[in-house]
Amino acid sequence: TVFWLPLYYDAKVALVLMLWHPKIKGALYLYSSYLQPLLAQHEAEIDRTLMEARTRSVDYINGHVQRAKDYALSHTSSIVEAARRFSEQNGASDQVDGQLPSNPAVSPQHLHAE
């Protein structure tokens, strides 16, 4: 960092004020004098790079979605079997005579009691 430079923080505050203050229009001056010509000069390259990045991103996402679909299709039986075992394992301990136990904290008597 350059905090050791004399008047660094003062210069930094002056720059921010110059850029911000509407009467001075420092930001407009810097944009129209330096940034806009630079962007205009490289506009085609910037647009091309953004389009390439967008295309690569879409291809990457589509590839992963397709891989997920292929995996799901090829492993459907094992996924269903694992879900069935999980359901049986958790449901068997909770069920009494084939019915799920009621939660007394949420029974109709508790809902209407005041």
Side-chain angles (χ1 to χ4, degrees):
T1 61
V2 291
F3 64 88
W4 52 267
L5 267 170
L7 301 174
Y8 168 73
Y9 290 107
D10 297 332
K12 185 176 176 181
V13 168
L15 176 68
V16 169
L17 285 174
M18 181 203 65
L19 292 172
W20 165 79
H21 200 279
K23 189 173 184 180
I24 300 173
K25 297 182 182 177
L28 181 63
Y29 171 76
L30 283 177
Y31 175 78
S32 60
S33 299
Y34 297 102
L35 190 58
Q36 195 269 338
L38 181 69
L39 290 174
Q41 181 182 356
H42 297 286
E43 183 177 6
E45 182 182 349
I46 293 168
D47 290 342
R48 185 178 62 253
T49 303
L50 286 173
M51 286 302 293
E52 288 172 3
R54 180 178 182 263
T55 302
R56 283 194 312 265
S57 298
V58 168
D59 290 345
Y60 179 80
I61 291 170
N62 285 340
H64 281 289
V65 167
Q66 187 59 45
R67 284 178 50 201
K69 286 180 185 177
D70 293 344
Y71 181 84
L73 287 174
S74 65
H75 293 84
T76 301
S77 62
S78 61
I79 292 170
V80 169
E81 179 62 25
R84 185 189 61 76
R85 275 187 274 128
F86 180 78
S87 175
E88 286 176 354
Q89 193 176 44
N90 288 336
S93 63
D94 291 343
Q95 289 185 2
V96 177
D97 297 329
Q99 295 183 4
L100 291 176
S102 62
N103 185 350
V106 208
S107 68
Q109 293 83 9
H110 286 92
L111 291 176
H112 297 294
E114 302 235 357

